[in-house]
Structure formats: structure tokens, C-alpha cells
Amino acid sequence: MTTMHGSTIDHIGNTPLIRLNHVSDATGCEILGKAEFMNPGGSIKDRAALGIVRDAERRGRLRPGGIIVEGTAGNTGIGLAVVGNALGYDTVIVMPDNQSRDKIDTLKSYGVTLHLVPAVPLRDPNHFTKVSERIAAELDESHEHGALWANQFNNTANRAFHEQTTGVEIWDQTRGEIDGFICSVGTGGTLAGVARALRARNAKVQIGLADPGGSALYHFFAHGELRAEGSSISEGIGNSRITDNLADTPIDRPYRVPDSDAIPMVYDLIRREGLSVGGSSGVNVAGAVRMAKDLGPGHTIVTLLCDSAMRYRARLFNRAFLVDKGLTLPDWLNLDQC
Ligand code: PMP
């Protein structure tokens, strides 16, 4: 039977580009947010997952009945679970134990095999990425159909998929009328892929980095040296190294975006735009506002709305947690009424 309707993975990508009215009107720029939370798995990382899986299938690294293994802050794991479940692969996920409860519960609901490991620095042999690499190697030996280590940080199939999809979609949706693109970096696949697609079409498009506290990337692109400062409650973004995905990305405008800008922006997006988004989207939109102020009125700037606030319920709407981090819950958010 033929059908005109695509299946789950056919609906990854081609997300809407939404005008963010309040920040656009306030800056005199068009600030547009690409609604990545509308992907089937609820985040930008569905794209990286699909790109990595399709590339591995083409190269014969992932065979029918094989297992996908990855270390992730959560969203890539959810993306891989969506793609794996839809295409018939089991998924094994290794995740640091300091991530939000909602992401853990979501992963379990997809039926993945989940290993929670202590959050330790990258140089530690028990860092979640290294544990996932070891598990993948063991399973590749022992499982009859083998296993793939997705390796989202250094597997450039991640960046390539963003170049072919996210970047091209943004160019087409703005009809090439785009002056700047800015977002935060976890693996860097998104920023690097979109930057490549846009720069290939117009070398003048400004590329910005919105970097949260605790990440070393702002200092690297502003001053040439990796150095982390501060901390952030945002998840999935920030890095202490230049990944293979991020390498050679032209960054014109690096911005350090503290939680004191990003988290109030999350509440503004919920309240003023009706867009329920997570902390990284707050970092991105606050970064886009900084870029808009630097470029001046009349410019079009695109950023990403990566996932939903509902993925961080226990943190973003938890007064005690926020107070402990020096942040406040806005007055209109009276949770006693929920
Ligand atoms: N926002 C969220 C919520 C994420 O989970 C991630 C990925 N970890 C990013 C942004 C960053 O995307 P990328 O890995 O492509 O840099």
C-alpha cells in the first residue's frame, strides 16, 4: 500500500520558524526562533540522531538488529531512542546522574537500557562519554549483530546533517534574508552545520556563539584560550574542548550569556510568546538579543528553540532550587495554583 503520509523519522526536521514578537519589537530586528522542540523526540537532537544513524547504515557500521550506544546529557539519547525504535534498533544510553529527572523518565519510557554514572570531568576514565565508548566496544564484540558508538561529539555526521537540513531550512525559510545566526554549543554540530550552510550561500552572514556559564568556549573564541568561568543550570550546552564537529567554525561574535539573562528569558518566552522552552533556548534567545543590539535595528537574526520547559519541570518551576542558584521564579508563576 502506498501512502502520502511520512512515518516518524520523516517528520524529523522541517520545523517552523517563529517570529519572537517581544524581543523583535524591543530591538527593531526580526528575531526568529526555529522550533526544534516540535521534532518527534521533542528536541534539536533528533536531527543529530538521524544523521548519525543513517550515516552508520550507509557505511555498514550499523547492521539490522544492531545496537546503538551513546553517552548523552539526555536529548541525544531520546533522539536515538526515537530513531532506533522507529527503525528497529535497541538503544543503550549512558548519562551523568546530575541531569533532570524528566529526561531520565522520558528515556525509560522509550525502553532504552539506561546507565546513570557519576558526573565527573572529561579527563576521568569514567566520564559518561568514555563509559559509553567502552560499552559499545564490548557489545560490538559480544552481540551477534554488533553495536555502534554514536560518538556525537566527534562524529561529523552530526554536523553534516545540520548543514544539509537545519541550515538549508533556515536559508529557505528566510528566503536568504538573514544577517545573523546564533546558538549555544554542546557538541557544536548545530552551530557548525548551520554556519557552513549559511556561509556557503552568503559569506557575510554573522555567526554568533551564545555560551553559558561553566563553558570554556566563550573565552576561547573571544581570547584564544579555553577557560571556563561560572556555572549554569542549563543542560546539554557548554563545553571544555573544541570537538571535531566544532573545529574550524567561523565565529564572528562570541557572547557569554549568564543564567541571570537566560532564565528570565525562558519565563518571558513562556509568558509573552506562549512558547514553553528549556534553558538552552533562553541562552540562545538572550544571545540573539545581544547580537541584535550589536548589529542594530533592521537586521534578521535566527536562533534555535531546542527543547521544551517540560523537560526541566523539577528545576525551572521549583522555587527552592532556583533560590539556591541565585535565581527567582517570576511572580505570575504561582505554582500553588497549578
Ligand atoms: N540545547 C539542548 C537542550 C541540547 O540538549 C543540546 C545538545 N546536547 C544543545 C542545545 C546543543 O546542540 P549541539 O550538540 O548540536 O551543539
mmCIF file of all heavy atoms in Angstrom, residues 44-45 75-76 152 158 162 184-190 235-237 280 306-307 312, ligand 1:
data_model
loop_
_atom_site.group_PDB
_atom_site.id
_atom_site.type_symbol
_atom_site.label_atom_id
_atom_site.label_comp_id
_atom_site.label_asym_id
_atom_site.label_seq_id
_atom_site.Cartn_x
_atom_site.Cartn_y
_atom_site.Cartn_z
ATOM 1 N N ILE A 44 16.106 19.338 19.378
ATOM 2 C CA ILE A 44 17.043 19.504 18.256
ATOM 3 C C ILE A 44 17.818 18.217 17.978
ATOM 4 O O ILE A 44 18.243 17.973 16.862
ATOM 5 C CB ILE A 44 18.010 20.661 18.595
ATOM 6 C CG1 ILE A 44 19.053 20.939 17.507
ATOM 7 C CG2 ILE A 44 18.779 20.410 19.893
ATOM 8 C CD1 ILE A 44 18.673 21.975 16.562
ATOM 9 N N LYS A 45 18.002 17.380 19.014
ATOM 10 C CA LYS A 45 18.914 16.250 18.865
ATOM 11 C C LYS A 45 18.335 15.093 18.062
ATOM 12 O O LYS A 45 19.070 14.174 17.721
ATOM 13 C CB LYS A 45 19.403 15.774 20.227
ATOM 14 C CG LYS A 45 20.122 16.810 21.054
ATOM 15 C CD LYS A 45 21.381 17.414 20.434
ATOM 16 C CE LYS A 45 22.421 16.439 19.996
ATOM 17 N NZ LYS A 45 23.792 17.042 19.998
ATOM 18 N N ASN A 75 19.092 14.519 25.657
ATOM 19 C CA ASN A 75 18.308 14.712 24.437
ATOM 20 C C ASN A 75 18.800 13.857 23.273
ATOM 21 O O ASN A 75 17.980 13.358 22.492
ATOM 22 C CB ASN A 75 18.304 16.187 24.035
ATOM 23 C CG ASN A 75 17.276 16.985 24.828
ATOM 24 O OD1 ASN A 75 16.271 16.434 25.271
ATOM 25 N ND2 ASN A 75 17.520 18.274 25.008
ATOM 26 N N THR A 76 20.103 13.672 23.145
ATOM 27 C CA THR A 76 20.589 12.800 22.067
ATOM 28 C C THR A 76 20.116 11.378 22.309
ATOM 29 O O THR A 76 19.763 10.656 21.364
ATOM 30 C CB THR A 76 22.121 12.843 21.974
ATOM 31 O OG1 THR A 76 22.506 14.190 21.768
ATOM 32 C CG2 THR A 76 22.636 11.988 20.828
ATOM 33 N N GLN A 152 28.561 11.364 19.303
ATOM 34 C CA GLN A 152 28.026 12.627 18.787
ATOM 35 C C GLN A 152 29.001 13.803 18.835
ATOM 36 O O GLN A 152 28.907 14.717 18.014
ATOM 37 C CB GLN A 152 26.767 13.000 19.563
ATOM 38 C CG GLN A 152 27.004 13.128 21.065
ATOM 39 C CD GLN A 152 25.831 13.760 21.797
ATOM 40 O OE1 GLN A 152 25.105 14.564 21.228
ATOM 41 N NE2 GLN A 152 25.642 13.420 23.057
ATOM 42 N N ASN A 158 27.037 14.282 12.485
ATOM 43 C CA ASN A 158 26.172 15.191 13.249
ATOM 44 C C ASN A 158 26.140 16.564 12.555
ATOM 45 O O ASN A 158 25.085 17.062 12.151
ATOM 46 C CB ASN A 158 26.758 15.235 14.675
ATOM 47 C CG ASN A 158 26.174 16.283 15.593
ATOM 48 O OD1 ASN A 158 25.277 17.032 15.228
ATOM 49 N ND2 ASN A 158 26.697 16.339 16.814
ATOM 50 N N HIS A 162 23.111 18.663 10.075
ATOM 51 C CA HIS A 162 22.631 20.034 10.302
ATOM 52 C C HIS A 162 22.921 20.926 9.100
ATOM 53 O O HIS A 162 22.137 21.816 8.781
ATOM 54 C CB HIS A 162 23.277 20.618 11.554
ATOM 55 C CG HIS A 162 22.645 20.150 12.823
ATOM 56 N ND1 HIS A 162 21.369 20.509 13.184
ATOM 57 C CD2 HIS A 162 23.099 19.338 13.807
ATOM 58 C CE1 HIS A 162 21.073 19.949 14.351
ATOM 59 N NE2 HIS A 162 22.099 19.228 14.743
ATOM 60 N N SER A 184 23.868 28.239 21.125
ATOM 61 C CA SER A 184 24.823 27.674 22.071
ATOM 62 C C SER A 184 25.378 26.367 21.500
ATOM 63 O O SER A 184 24.888 25.865 20.491
ATOM 64 C CB SER A 184 24.131 27.439 23.410
ATOM 65 O OG SER A 184 22.891 26.784 23.204
ATOM 66 N N VAL A 185 26.386 25.839 22.178
ATOM 67 C CA VAL A 185 27.104 24.670 21.673
ATOM 68 C C VAL A 185 27.184 23.588 22.748
ATOM 69 O O VAL A 185 27.589 23.866 23.880
ATOM 70 C CB VAL A 185 28.529 25.085 21.239
ATOM 71 C CG1 VAL A 185 29.461 23.878 21.173
ATOM 72 C CG2 VAL A 185 28.493 25.795 19.896
ATOM 73 N N GLY A 186 26.763 22.384 22.376
ATOM 74 C CA GLY A 186 27.044 21.209 23.204
ATOM 75 C C GLY A 186 28.112 20.422 22.478
ATOM 76 O O GLY A 186 29.303 20.517 22.755
ATOM 77 N N THR A 187 27.671 19.649 21.448
ATOM 78 C CA THR A 187 28.647 19.022 20.560
ATOM 79 C C THR A 187 29.198 20.023 19.546
ATOM 80 O O THR A 187 30.261 19.822 18.985
ATOM 81 C CB THR A 187 27.993 17.885 19.751
ATOM 82 O OG1 THR A 187 26.995 18.444 18.884
ATOM 83 C CG2 THR A 187 27.360 16.855 20.669
ATOM 84 N N GLY A 188 28.405 21.046 19.245
ATOM 85 C CA GLY A 188 28.767 22.003 18.199
ATOM 86 C C GLY A 188 28.221 21.619 16.836
ATOM 87 O O GLY A 188 28.344 22.379 15.874
ATOM 88 N N GLY A 189 27.577 20.459 16.746
ATOM 89 C CA GLY A 189 27.043 20.014 15.454
ATOM 90 C C GLY A 189 26.068 21.013 14.851
ATOM 91 O O GLY A 189 26.122 21.307 13.652
ATOM 92 N N THR A 190 25.205 21.573 15.702
ATOM 93 C CA THR A 190 24.209 22.516 15.187
ATOM 94 C C THR A 190 24.865 23.791 14.687
ATOM 95 O O THR A 190 24.666 24.188 13.533
ATOM 96 C CB THR A 190 23.185 22.884 16.278
ATOM 97 O OG1 THR A 190 22.705 21.709 16.915
ATOM 98 C CG2 THR A 190 22.032 23.650 15.686
ATOM 99 N N GLU A 235 21.117 22.763 30.562
ATOM 100 C CA GLU A 235 21.647 21.410 30.331
ATOM 101 C C GLU A 235 21.872 21.198 28.840
ATOM 102 O O GLU A 235 21.169 21.741 28.005
ATOM 103 C CB GLU A 235 20.649 20.368 30.859
ATOM 104 C CG GLU A 235 20.503 20.435 32.369
ATOM 105 C CD GLU A 235 19.482 19.442 32.915
ATOM 106 O OE1 GLU A 235 19.311 18.370 32.335
ATOM 107 O OE2 GLU A 235 18.858 19.775 33.941
ATOM 108 N N GLY A 236 22.872 20.365 28.533
ATOM 109 C CA GLY A 236 23.114 19.985 27.134
ATOM 110 C C GLY A 236 23.994 20.957 26.386
ATOM 111 O O GLY A 236 24.301 20.737 25.216
ATOM 112 N N ILE A 237 24.390 22.053 27.038
ATOM 113 C CA ILE A 237 25.223 23.040 26.336
ATOM 114 C C ILE A 237 26.432 23.423 27.178
ATOM 115 O O ILE A 237 26.468 23.216 28.382
ATOM 116 C CB ILE A 237 24.425 24.304 25.941
ATOM 117 C CG1 ILE A 237 23.753 24.936 27.166
ATOM 118 C CG2 ILE A 237 23.425 23.979 24.856
ATOM 119 C CD1 ILE A 237 23.108 26.291 26.865
ATOM 120 N N SER A 280 18.436 26.088 27.450
ATOM 121 C CA SER A 280 19.343 26.418 26.340
ATOM 122 C C SER A 280 18.677 27.379 25.364
ATOM 123 O O SER A 280 19.349 28.214 24.747
ATOM 124 C CB SER A 280 19.850 25.166 25.623
ATOM 125 O OG SER A 280 18.860 24.601 24.792
ATOM 126 N N CYS A 306 15.427 24.860 21.391
ATOM 127 C CA CYS A 306 15.961 23.492 21.296
ATOM 128 C C CYS A 306 15.066 22.418 21.880
ATOM 129 O O CYS A 306 15.014 21.305 21.370
ATOM 130 C CB CYS A 306 17.311 23.414 21.990
ATOM 131 S SG CYS A 306 18.508 24.497 21.230
ATOM 132 N N ASP A 307 14.419 22.718 23.002
ATOM 133 C CA ASP A 307 13.528 21.723 23.613
ATOM 134 C C ASP A 307 12.535 22.428 24.529
ATOM 135 O O ASP A 307 12.488 23.666 24.573
ATOM 136 C CB ASP A 307 14.315 20.598 24.314
ATOM 137 C CG ASP A 307 15.112 21.053 25.528
ATOM 138 O OD1 ASP A 307 15.093 22.259 25.848
ATOM 139 O OD2 ASP A 307 15.757 20.196 26.168
ATOM 140 N N TYR A 312 12.296 20.069 32.034
ATOM 141 C CA TYR A 312 13.050 20.545 33.214
ATOM 142 C C TYR A 312 12.110 20.998 34.326
ATOM 143 O O TYR A 312 12.458 21.862 35.125
ATOM 144 C CB TYR A 312 13.981 21.704 32.796
ATOM 145 C CG TYR A 312 14.802 21.360 31.591
ATOM 146 C CD1 TYR A 312 14.370 21.722 30.318
ATOM 147 C CD2 TYR A 312 15.978 20.621 31.708
ATOM 148 C CE1 TYR A 312 15.100 21.364 29.191
ATOM 149 C CE2 TYR A 312 16.712 20.257 30.595
ATOM 150 C CZ TYR A 312 16.265 20.636 29.338
ATOM 151 O OH TYR A 312 16.984 20.275 28.235
HETATM 152 N N1 PMP B 1 20.151 22.518 23.615
HETATM 153 C C1 PMP B 1 19.832 21.343 24.176
HETATM 154 C C2 PMP B 1 18.641 21.298 25.085
HETATM 155 C C3 PMP B 1 20.608 20.197 23.940
HETATM 156 O O1 PMP B 1 20.292 19.011 24.512
HETATM 157 C C4 PMP B 1 21.739 20.312 23.085
HETATM 158 C C5 PMP B 1 22.601 19.112 22.788
HETATM 159 N N2 PMP B 1 23.210 18.484 23.844
HETATM 160 C C6 PMP B 1 22.051 21.558 22.534
HETATM 161 C C7 PMP B 1 21.217 22.640 22.808
HETATM 162 C C8 PMP B 1 23.290 21.776 21.701
HETATM 163 O O2 PMP B 1 23.289 21.172 20.434
HETATM 164 P P1 PMP B 1 24.631 20.671 19.780
HETATM 165 O O3 PMP B 1 25.018 19.386 20.438
HETATM 166 O O4 PMP B 1 24.295 20.484 18.335
HETATM 167 O O5 PMP B 1 25.709 21.694 19.960
#
